[in-house]
Amino acid sequence: MKFDKKLLRALPKVLLHEHLDGVLRPQTMVELASDAKYLELPTNDPQALAHWFHRGANQGSLAKYLEGFTHTIAVMQTEEALERVAYEQIEDLSNDGVVYLETRFAPVFHTKKGLTHQQVVKAVLKGLDRGRRDFGVRSGLIICAMRNMDVSLEMAELAVDFRERGVVGFDLAGEEGGYPPKKHVDAFEYIQRENFNITIHAGEGYGKESIWQAIQYCGAHRIGHGTRLIEDIAIADGKAVKLGDLAQYVLDKRIPLEICLLSNVHTGATPSLAEHPFKIFYQEKFRVTLNTDNRLMSDTSMTQEFEAAADTFGLSLDDFEKITINAMKSAFLPYNQRCGIIYSVIKPGYSKVRDSMYSRMTAKTR
């Protein structure tokens, strides 16, 4: 179905997978670099800088995709910078129809100028809270540990310490190859003992084994990307004919997949949008959600992700409402709060768009 972009932007959206250090406005980057006397930016022209990030990320390699983060992280080393980036993230998403956001980042990368992990997290939460007050977008923060670092237990403890102040979950991110999730099992056992929430990047840069470990060793409640789960599904004539044990488990247990369509093409997780396994996952009723991953690197937005899904897979308004409700069901918020957003924000929002579409159609036939 072909949608008007203005209509897509008006749809209420839930975003569960977006990296704080992958969403900076190019103008903000230039200003923060100037404040920090950071001289390594490839250009100080915001438009050219945006183009540089997108061109660098769109090379079909996760390792290449991650290179741009050297610059974004370099200018996010003060409390003021962290608060500003988080606040602007909320403002930008508010303008894109997002009603609930879970953003994630690795505090360990933001201590180069002497900030403690606690100061880093507090600054981000301050920006998110200010954004909620000004724009009405609710959010939660997810703390990331890195696969190639030996600080995952410390990051897990940090996440739990801030659970009453806006941190909603714990993640494991970074290059998958050579850094299996099970090497960080002590951190995940701690999170489980604390009855806290787990999402893990898996099945993006490595195969279905990574997803299996994330779930069965580490107890993941959601999977970040999960693209390579398609390796456990037999396909014939564009349809699933048999699910392997892992795929069946993910389906049966309703484990959400945080799908990032455009990013997956840019990192090489899938050769093209047309070949993205999203279509199979959705047809087979996996709990899929749509996300941006890194808006700066992938030159995307939730509206663009919705547009790509509509154009490539023929999704309808009903499909988008179902996906959005599934995303809200999968959020790391208490049950009653999730229900509150579904019934007081998402459903009325879709109903309003339907009424608008009907009015326009009726007007055309008169």
Side-chain angles (χ1 to χ4, degrees):
M1 182 174 178
K2 192 70 179 172
F3 284 95
D4 173 69
K5 205 156 194 169
K6 189 176 178 183
L7 184 145
L8 282 178
R9 188 169 289 111
L11 295 178
K13 303 173 189 73
V14 173
L15 175 51
L16 300 179
H17 190 120
E18 181 165 275
H19 293 263
L20 183 69
D21 47 359
V23 301
L24 282 74
R25 298 172 182 171
Q27 180 65 46
T28 296
M29 279 206 67
V30 172
E31 292 172 13
L32 292 178
S34 175
D35 293 344
K37 296 181 171 48
Y38 178 71
L39 305 175
E40 303 301 317
L41 288 185
T43 173
N44 287 319
D45 176 77
Q47 194 171 355
L49 186 61
H51 179 68
W52 181 90
F53 271 100
H54 180 49
R55 185 185 59 199
N58 191 8
Q59 296 186 50
S61 160
L62 180 57
K64 290 279 187 188
Y65 189 90
L66 297 175
E67 286 177 2
F69 288 91
T70 301
H71 298 297
T72 59
I73 288 169
V75 302
M76 296 169 65
Q77 296 297 326
T78 66
E79 289 169 292
E80 294 77 15
L82 288 160
E83 182 185 341
R84 176 178 174 178
V85 171
Y87 178 82
E88 290 180 353
Q89 180 183 33
I90 295 289
E91 182 177 15
D92 292 343
L93 292 175
S94 171
N95 293 329
D96 197 34
V98 173
V99 298
Y100 177 74
L101 157 75
E102 287 180 4
T103 186
R104 62 187 73 194
F105 83 130
V108 71
F109 289 140
H110 302 275
T111 58
K112 292 185 177 72
K113 290 193 174 177
L115 292 181
T116 65
H117 292 140
Q118 287 75 14
Q119 287 174 312
V120 168
V121 175
K122 283 179 185 175
V124 173
L125 289 172
K126 188 177 178 183
L128 294 176
D129 190 54
R130 193 157 61 87
R132 177 189 57 78
R133 293 197 305 272
D134 287 354
F135 306 109
V137 178
R138 294 195 53 184
S139 62
L141 183 61
I142 295 172
I143 300 294
C144 296
M146 301 306 296
R147 293 171 179 271
N148 61 334
M149 295 183 183
D150 193 23
V151 293
S152 52
L153 181 56
E154 184 182 350
M155 290 300 102
E157 291 169 344
L158 181 70
V160 171
D161 285 347
F162 277 88
R163 71 187 302 173
E164 299 298 326
R165 288 175 276 179
V167 171
V168 296
F170 178 64
D171 178 28
L172 185 66
E175 180 67 55
E176 285 184 76
Y179 303 102
K182 68 179 183 180
K183 288 190 175 179
H184 303 268
V185 72
D186 56 339
F188 290 104
E189 287 178 347
Y190 169 77
I191 291 287
Q192 289 172 313
R193 287 196 301 272
E194 293 294 329
N195 303 307
F196 206 36
N197 302 308
I198 299 170
T199 178
I200 299 178
H201 280 73
E204 179 189 22
Y206 200 71
K208 63 180 182 180
E209 298 82 8
S210 181
I211 301 170
W212 173 73
Q213 283 192 22
I215 295 169
Q216 306 303 357
Y217 273 87
C218 304
H221 302 119
R222 297 196 321 234
I223 295 294
H225 299 289
T227 319
R228 304 283 284 274
L229 185 64
I230 198 68
E231 295 173 5
D232 201 45
I233 301 176
I235 311 291
D237 298 323
K239 294 186 178 178
V241 292
K242 181 174 174 53
L243 272 58
D245 290 343
L246 175 63
Q248 190 69 56
Y249 186 89
V250 172
L251 176 64
D252 293 346
K253 300 299 181 186
R254 314 307 297 141
I255 297 173
L257 302 176
E258 302 162 359
I259 301 289
C260 307
L261 293 174
L262 296 179
S263 165
N264 286 163
V265 175
H266 298 154
T267 62
T270 186
S272 67
L273 274 178
E275 296 168 269
H276 197 290
F278 173 89
K279 183 178 182 181
I280 298 292
F281 295 155
Y282 191 63
Q283 283 176 348
E284 294 302 309
K285 297 184 169 49
F286 284 83
R287 184 176 281 187
V288 292
T289 66
L290 288 171
N291 306 275
T292 55
D293 202 10
N294 300 285
R295 279 181 286 117
L296 173 64
M297 284 70 178
S298 286
D299 188 25
T300 190
S301 65
M302 281 296 282
T303 295
Q304 285 171 258
E305 297 290 331
F306 273 34
E307 186 175 41
D311 292 348
T312 310
F313 309 115
L315 298 193
S316 67
L317 194 65
D318 288 349
D319 292 323
F320 285 125
E321 182 175 21
K322 179 180 177 182
I323 289 166
T324 302
I325 289 172
N326 274 344
M328 199 64 239
K329 285 180 179 178
S330 308
F332 291 155
L333 275 184
Y335 173 74
N336 62 334
Q337 294 180 31
R338 283 179 275 151
C339 289
I341 293 174
I342 289 170
Y343 288 103
S344 67
V345 180
I346 296 172
K347 282 182 172 289
Y350 272 86
S351 180
K352 184 178 177 182
V353 170
R354 279 194 185 88
D355 290 345
S356 170
M357 289 174 68
Y358 178 74
S359 297
R360 256 181 277 166
M361 287 168 61
T362 304
K364 282 181 181 178
T365 58
R366 282 177 186 161

